[in-house]
Amino acid sequence: MAAVSMASPAVESLYPQKDTTLNKRDGFEDLMEERRHSSDLRYAMRCYTPVVYKDLVPRTPSALRNVVLKSDQVQYVIKQLSKETGESPDIISDEAADILEKMGHGLRLSIVRFFAFTLSKIFKALFQKVRVNEEGIHKLHQAIQEYPVVLLPSHRSYIDFLMLSYIMYTYDLSLPVVAAGMDFMGMKIVGEMLRMSGAFFIRRSFGGDRLYWAVFSEYVKTILRNGDAPVEFFVEGTRSRTGKSLIPKLGLLNIAIEPFLMGEVFDMYLVPISISYERILEESLYAHELLGVPKPKESTSGLLKARKILSENFGSIHIYFGQPVSVRSLATGTVRRSQYNLVPRHIPRKPSGDVYRFLDAVGHRMVVLQQKNMVISPWVLMTTVIIQNLPSMPLPDLIRQTLWLKVIAEAFGAFIDWPVNVSADKVIRSSLALRHNIVKTVKNQVMLCQEETTAEFTVEKVSKSTVTVLMCASYRNQILHVFVRPALVAIAFQNAHSCRKEDVYSCFSYLREVFSDEFIFLPGNLVKDFDEGLYLLMKSGAIQGSHTDLHVAEKGSATISFLSAMFGPFLEGYQVICKYLMRTEFTDDFTEKRFVAEIRNHAAELILTGAIKYSEVLSVDMQKNALAALSRLGAIEKLKTAGGTACKVNKQTLARVADMLAPELPVKSATVAKL
């Protein structure tokens, strides 16, 4: 193993080592403050003069579609398909025009004003505050004028893209064109109104449809080349149902960056945006989806039925516009742009190895930057404590442990939105009241809200009782990125059977690989991640050590145990999955669908008998992530079959994974560790 450097304050960190909490808190402004004291109609009808790209040549949405249709790339694909199929180029061209007609945005200021008025009413009803960092807005104002801009917000709710367009309108910024799923286009009236407010609609998957891909990619690139508007999409690809950041999807990112790689623009800016919800509108819906309940289809009638949420209180939202990142600065010395000169630019191509690695690194970096500027509410800290103390805990203990965790989280670089000049007791009770649908306090004991039943507890009832657990976990998950590196070092220290730093590093390396579908790690950052985690543990006084050996500090056991338990649901869940796959019935090939159905029943039975502590293994997200990890580690081989994809178990490799995830040993204390 390469020498592992001793963690030190000089280690390059993903999290700020200085306390920036006060600067961040002072930099947020509440948009709703003015809306509550002035006319929404006057706001919607005000003079809107957005800042635009310096080289912009204005054109209508229909003119944009004509440019795309006549582009070399689209015309090349039309001719190729005509040669291959024998179909007339005119017929294929009409098909391309139809794709564009269904896809393209139709931005109209009158509809934008309607949304500005309507959303003002809705947001005032739903949220106590909508807080935006104005320094980020000023930087975006400048960036939009200089180069084409790509907005990359985190994605936790359907509200995300509406909120961003609302903010851009409020601050006189050019409204973004937003990549939206075709599902929305099917919503009567609403779908067209979204199109007229800047949405363009794309399929969830393209398959091998080369014409659709050519039209779509050229549409996005044409907007960026001309600087028509900022392009907005979710680099995670879909809404996170778990509260954790998702692995970045690279297809749309590749399209967006390609004009720079081809030398068609001098530079472009990527703007990571962090949207933090104190309470998520879809919290219950997500929990049910994670338990296998199909996602309801987007529809206008469904939207109207959802009006009842307007009577609910969803707390505050924080929207943090990050520092615009120059693509040119990211690419310098990393990717060879000259390769794009070897063949005509209009001929479609797949990214080369170095371009793919560059895109992967950029995608991960954008997600990490989103995480870095997430705002953590007191409720997130509380759920982290509550989940470790199920089924109930005394309210005074919850207050005490939450305050203890707050200190550690802030030391690790988290921005906690803790009310100033308010007692801890009042903060905690207020948070509990806001989540009356998840938790309740009975005789000073805090517990989850679950259906009262005197009947026999069944597998079906285990799933129902898990809904509130998953809702709770979705908030705890919002802070896991702060703790994942030190926590994995702590777990590795417990599992390594050694106090030697090299052994702890080796175990950490394996755990990081296993959980790289659950958590975001920068590619090629293994040693830095270990150093980061170890440095934070040493900074908090949990671990001490020399250049070669480590041991738990005298008062560090509580921190080590708490961090390990925080990730206990993932360790236990993966153990359950590994052990289940080692059973004899999985000697034959199996499908993912079969696995998900069977593991859910098996895990529910284990919960019923008290054989496992956590019920999060029932989450479809964890089950699929575990399969992906086992496939990557060689414990499962995926085979293409006539009926789709089948999985085959490699039990020897699987046993090794299970062994590495075995329950941790007792914490090594300073009195017993041999240094």
Side-chain angles (χ1 to χ4, degrees), residues 108-116 192-194 196-197:
R108 290 189 190 175
L109 187 56
S110 58
I111 299 299
V112 171
R113 294 190 187 281
F114 172 80
F115 268 116
E192 279 308 306
M193 291 181 69
L194 290 173
M196 293 179 204
S197 64

Side-chain angles (χ1 to χ4, degrees), residues 64-317:
L64 168 62
R65 292 195 292 271
N66 287 333
V67 170
V68 173
L69 195 59
K70 294 175 182 176
S71 67
D72 290 341
Q73 179 176 335
V74 172
Q75 289 300 313
Y76 173 81
V77 172
I78 288 172
K79 289 174 184 176
Q80 288 296 109
L81 290 173
S82 178
K83 285 181 183 178
E84 293 171 13
T85 64
E87 200 158 21
S88 164
D90 290 341
I91 293 175
I92 300 174
S93 183
D94 288 344
E95 187 181 341
D98 185 56
I99 291 172
L100 267 172
E101 192 68 30
K102 291 177 180 176
M103 178 188 298
H105 79 81
L107 192 63
R108 290 189 190 175
L109 187 56
S110 58
I111 299 299
V112 171
R113 294 190 187 281
F114 172 80
F115 268 116
F117 175 79
T118 306
L119 290 176
S120 290
K121 301 292 185 187
I122 292 172
F123 291 159
K124 283 190 292 185
L126 290 175
F127 305 112
Q128 294 173 350
K129 294 180 180 180
V130 174
R131 305 186 69 201
V132 180
N133 69 318
E134 292 206 327
E135 182 184 1
I137 292 292
H138 297 324
K139 290 178 179 178
L140 178 58
H141 188 281
Q142 185 64 34
I144 286 174
Q145 297 177 74
E146 292 179 354
Y147 298 112
V149 166
V150 178
L151 303 177
L152 299 172
S154 57
H155 200 15
R156 302 293 178 270
S157 172
Y158 277 143
I159 291 288
D160 294 336
F161 70 92
L162 295 173
M163 180 61 73
L164 281 188
S165 293
Y166 182 83
I167 292 169
M168 301 284 274
Y169 179 79
T170 300
Y171 284 100
D172 275 337
L173 295 169
S174 181
L175 288 172
V177 292
V178 186
M182 276 288 194
D183 314 351
F184 291 100
M185 195 175 77
M187 298 174 69
K188 292 180 181 178
I189 303 175
V190 175
E192 279 308 306
M193 291 181 69
L194 290 173
R195 186 195 300 277
M196 293 179 204
S197 64
F200 66 96
F201 300 101
I202 58 175
R203 296 177 189 166
R204 295 290 181 185
S205 61
F206 303 165
D209 193 333
R210 284 186 288 159
L211 181 63
Y212 191 92
W213 178 262
V215 170
F216 163 62
S217 59
E218 188 61 25
Y219 183 78
V220 174
K221 288 187 285 187
T222 301
I223 292 171
L224 287 168
R225 285 191 208 105
N226 191 59
D228 291 302
V231 171
E232 177 189 326
F233 62 89
F234 301 105
V235 72
E236 296 169 280
T238 187
R239 290 173 297 161
S240 170
R241 270 72 171 168
T242 63
K244 294 190 283 94
S245 296
L246 305 178
I247 303 298
K249 303 294 188 294
L250 305 182
L252 195 40
L253 186 64
N254 175 40
I255 291 170
I257 289 179
E258 205 168 70
F260 167 76
L261 295 176
M262 289 185 169
E264 295 169 331
V265 296
F266 181 78
D267 200 357
M268 56 182 17
Y269 285 123
L270 306 178
V271 182
I273 303 170
S274 310
I275 308 177
S276 307
Y277 292 87
E278 191 174 2
R279 183 182 169 196
I280 295 173
L281 275 71
E282 302 98 325
E283 58 187 7
S284 177
L285 180 68
Y286 289 167
H288 284 87
E289 286 183 32
L290 290 173
L291 290 170
V293 178
K295 184 186 89 166
K297 185 180 179 182
E298 287 82 4
S299 66
T300 304
S301 61
L303 183 64
L304 293 173
K305 289 176 184 175
R307 285 178 300 172
K308 62 182 181 181
I309 68 170
L310 294 175
S311 61
E312 290 277 342
N313 179 3
F314 288 89
S316 299
I317 303 181

Side-chain angles (χ1 to χ4, degrees), residues 58 63 128 162 165 212 257 352 450 457 486 505 545 638 645 652:
Q128 294 173 350
L162 295 173
S165 293
Y212 191 92
I257 289 179
S352 62
Q450 295 178 341
F457 214 49
Y505 172 83
K638 291 194 173 182
T645 302
Q652 186 176 358

